Amino acid sequence: MSNPVLVEVFRGALVESRHHGAVAVVDADGATVLALGDVAQPVYPRSAVKMIQALPLVESGAAEKFGFGDQELALACASHGGEPAHVEVASRMLARAGLDGAALECGVQWPSHQDSGRALVRSGAAASALHNNCSGKHAGFICFACAASIDHHGYVAVRHPVQREVRGALENLAGVTLSEDQCGIDGCSIPTFAIPPAALAHGFARFGTGRGLSSERAKAAARLRAACAAEPYFVAGTGRFCTEIMKVFGPRVLAKTGAEGVFCGALPEQGLGIAIKCQDGGTRAAEVAMAAMIEKFLPLSDTERGALSCFLRPTLRNWNGIEVGSLRPATALQL
Amino acid sequence: MSNPVLVEVFRGALVESRHHGAVAVVDADGATVLALGDVAQPVYPRSAVKMIQALPLVESGAAEKFGFGDQELALACASHGGEPAHVEVASRMLARAGLDGAALECGVQWPSHQDSGRALVRSGAAASALHNNCSGKHAGFICFACAASIDHHGYVAVRHPVQREVRGALENLAGVTLSEDQCGIDGCSIPTFAIPPAALAHGFARFGTGRGLSSERAKAAARLRAACAAEPYFVAGTGRFCTEIMKVFGPRVLAKTGAEGVFCGALPEQGLGIAIKCQDGGTRAAEVAMAAMIEKFLPLSDTERGALSCFLRPTLRNWNGIEVGSLRPATALQL
């Protein structure tokens, strides 16, 4: 089954580029509300499932034991920009377990937030694993292990107890059995298991509502949702899609980006989960598709509609700041 | 007409992402040697035609008047990384016309070469238009204007005499009439006219061979080809596809990237021109497709085949340097 064009990139009067992809919107009972393209073909969810991957940290009581608040929990779900406040919270999480950045196994990454990267250079310091966009998730993994008296060393390996727990949470939420045959290594070295968008959307409907989950798991999901809604800056960072969308909509929208054009999210009040895969890996198109799903399924005030428009039809500007084009939802997304 | 999958992105055992696109290979008489996908649909060539856009600078005698050597001419064709040597040559070009970076109308861009960007931060200096990847092309435009006693101010405008000359060169090489109806504004603020890949490939076959061109134009094309082959570092920069490919193959391959997944080039000895558009704008896929065209049409020694392999099937590594996947030419490119 082929994927439709989801997003067109205009320059002047012409479409310069186009992005194909699949979109699934599913309710907590698993009923398909919308399916565009091949929503049954497994895709690597990458960082789009960090909220689900953070469930064991909360469910196990580790987060409570270490006194984690909204910032720590939001950062455990984050692909952050490596801004100073992100690094500070990741350090704080590890310190609660008596550790520091040396325990992280995610690898060194320069801050993706450009100004923070330049400030780091000016300070004379080097980039570290704490600046890695996944450092909050990894700090969460390590703290989960420490609270459960599991040796945290090697926690990124597919058969380490930490990843077994994470995998179990994904299987439970998405309603699938995950296989090492369909498993890749993520940018931060943890396993990423391929899951169909339809199942990911179902998983996010459950995450967003708690329906179909154990009471402990539903409670943990609600705690993580509240943390992301309260501290959206810690889920991504300055000017980033996930942060800005959750700043506008608060607990009414969960939105989480993943590498290679994946987006997952939930509209808790509508009981819906959303999963998007732009087949060429284009994040810019997955963002537009996510904005289109919010426009379609969430009742919007005029103010909210106005705030959404810059994500639904982002303007492209050149080095002189001249408007040269825009991204626009293609026919398939004009629902 | 739809475009085939050109390149697949593997992670573990699965295809994580796929890129569709069009590829045209045409000889200097305009005969199609290979056409994949919709090669008749106009695409914005963006920076992939900088070698053609540099023709007026050479043909007019301006380059000779200002004493430009291989480095200056290669930089006039470049999308460079803003490395110190690139900036130095751009400054030198402008100085020959009694000007400096303030004359550039391309806008300020931080060096895309990360180490150079960090060195700039450490130096306490700010990014400038000289660091813009197009500063060499713009310096060439300005020098062309100055040598011809044309007021260089506003040289980026579509109806400025400089852009009229550039447009004329493009129309002549590609054998098309360009229309302001099918014209966008490029990242550096000059016009970019939409041209079918088949016509772009024909234009590059002419550029690579001189066939079908006036003797002055053919001579200018040969001069620019020689400059790019002699100084490929100045066409792109450290570790970049265009630079590394032209380092390996010298005058046997011309290769030039453009934004939004465009690639143009020529194999002068085979008399062939090449134009590629990855429809989603993915540069990584356009590079693989270009490498596949070199493999297909250029006789290769074992050493050359070895040197090409890392561009034909690039390895993807994560933040820990672990090999997590690769890009591979899809069936349509396995010719």
Side-chain angles (χ1 to χ4, degrees), chain A residues 96-155:
Chain A
R96 299 276 168 85
L99 296 167
D100 61 21
L104 295 169
E105 299 181 15
C106 50
V108 171
Q109 180 189 5
W110 277 87
S112 65
H113 182 249
Q114 295 297 307
D115 285 349
S116 297
R118 286 174 201 139
L120 191 63
V121 171
R122 269 182 223 109
S123 77
S128 74
L130 286 164
H131 299 94
N132 187 305
N133 78 87
C134 297
S135 68
K137 176 181 70 176
H138 281 246
F141 288 156
I142 293 167
C143 290
F144 163 65
C146 291
S149 300
I150 297 166
D151 180 5
H152 64 82
H153 295 91
Y155 67 88

Side-chain angles (χ1 to χ4, degrees), chain A residues 261-277:
Chain A
V262 181
F263 239 92
C264 287
L267 306 175
E269 290 178 6
Q270 284 67 41
L272 299 178
I274 301 164
I276 296 159
K277 167 69 182 183

Side-chain angles (χ1 to χ4, degrees), chain A residues 11 16-20 44 46 105 107 110 118 185-187 189 260 277 279 284 318-320, chain B residues 11 16-18 20 44 46 105 107 110 118 185-187 189 260 277 279-280 284 318-320:
Chain A
R11 179 172 299 263
E16 179 166 31
S17 301
R18 49 179 62 80
H19 295 276
H20 292 249
Y44 291 123
R46 311 291 302 271
E105 299 181 15
W110 277 87
R118 286 174 201 139
I185 301 171
D186 212 328
S189 295
E260 291 289 334
K277 167 69 182 183
Q279 72 177 26
R284 63 183 183 180
N318 73 3
W319 298 114
N320 280 318
Chain B
R11 179 172 299 261
E16 179 165 30
S17 301
R18 48 180 62 81
H20 292 248
Y44 291 124
R46 310 291 302 271
E105 300 181 15
W110 277 85
R118 287 173 200 138
I185 300 172
D186 212 328
S189 295
E260 290 289 333
K277 167 70 181 181
Q279 72 178 26
D280 56 68
R284 62 183 182 180
N318 74 2
W319 298 115
N320 280 317

Side-chain angles (χ1 to χ4, degrees), chain A residues 66-265:
Chain A
F66 290 125
F68 288 171
D70 289 336
Q71 291 183 0
E72 289 84 354
L73 292 178
L75 199 76
C77 301
S79 297
H80 66 69
E83 300 182 51
H86 299 140
V87 172
E88 188 189 322
V89 173
S91 298
R92 192 200 299 163
M93 292 169 74
L94 291 165
R96 299 276 168 85
L99 296 167
D100 61 21
L104 295 169
E105 299 181 15
C106 50
V108 171
Q109 180 189 5
W110 277 87
S112 65
H113 182 249
Q114 295 297 307
D115 285 349
S116 297
R118 286 174 201 139
L120 191 63
V121 171
R122 269 182 223 109
S123 77
S128 74
L130 286 164
H131 299 94
N132 187 305
N133 78 87
C134 297
S135 68
K137 176 181 70 176
H138 281 246
F141 288 156
I142 293 167
C143 290
F144 163 65
C146 291
S149 300
I150 297 166
D151 180 5
H152 64 82
H153 295 91
Y155 67 88
V156 296
V158 66
R159 296 185 184 178
H160 187 280
V162 167
Q163 297 307 328
R164 285 181 189 274
E165 282 296 318
V166 168
R167 176 178 174 170
L170 278 166
E171 288 180 323
N172 174 226
L173 274 276
V176 293
T177 303
L178 299 176
S179 158
E180 284 188 37
D181 295 345
Q182 301 216 323
C183 180
I185 301 171
D186 212 328
C188 65
S189 295
I190 71 161
T192 180
F193 289 94
I195 302 174
L200 285 169
H202 189 191
F204 271 83
R206 285 171 166 153
F207 186 90
T209 61
R211 289 183 57 184
L213 303 180
S214 71
S215 62
E216 294 75 18
R217 187 151 278 175
K219 204 174 142 192
R223 180 71 194 91
L224 288 165
R225 291 200 310 271
C228 292
E231 295 284 359
Y233 170 77
F234 287 91
V235 179
T238 305
R240 295 268 304 277
F241 182 94
C242 298
T243 294
E244 296 301 320
I245 286 290
M246 293 196 287
K247 272 164 69 177
V248 171
F249 295 103
R252 299 171 66 208
V253 177
L254 287 180
K256 183 66 191 73
T257 189
E260 291 289 334
V262 181
F263 239 92
C264 287

Side-chain angles (χ1 to χ4, degrees), chain A residues 280-329:
Chain A
D280 56 69
T283 295
R284 63 183 183 180
E287 291 180 350
V288 169
M290 189 69 191
M293 291 305 100
I294 295 169
E295 188 195 38
K296 163 77 179 161
F297 291 106
L298 195 69
L300 299 173
S301 70
D302 286 350
T303 309
E304 288 169 340
R305 192 174 296 280
L308 190 63
S309 66
C310 63
F311 298 103
L312 196 60
R313 290 181 188 76
T315 298
L316 300 175
R317 294 183 184 279
N318 73 3
W319 298 114
N320 280 318
I322 299 168
E323 185 174 333
V324 294
S326 62
L327 274 69
R328 301 186 204 166

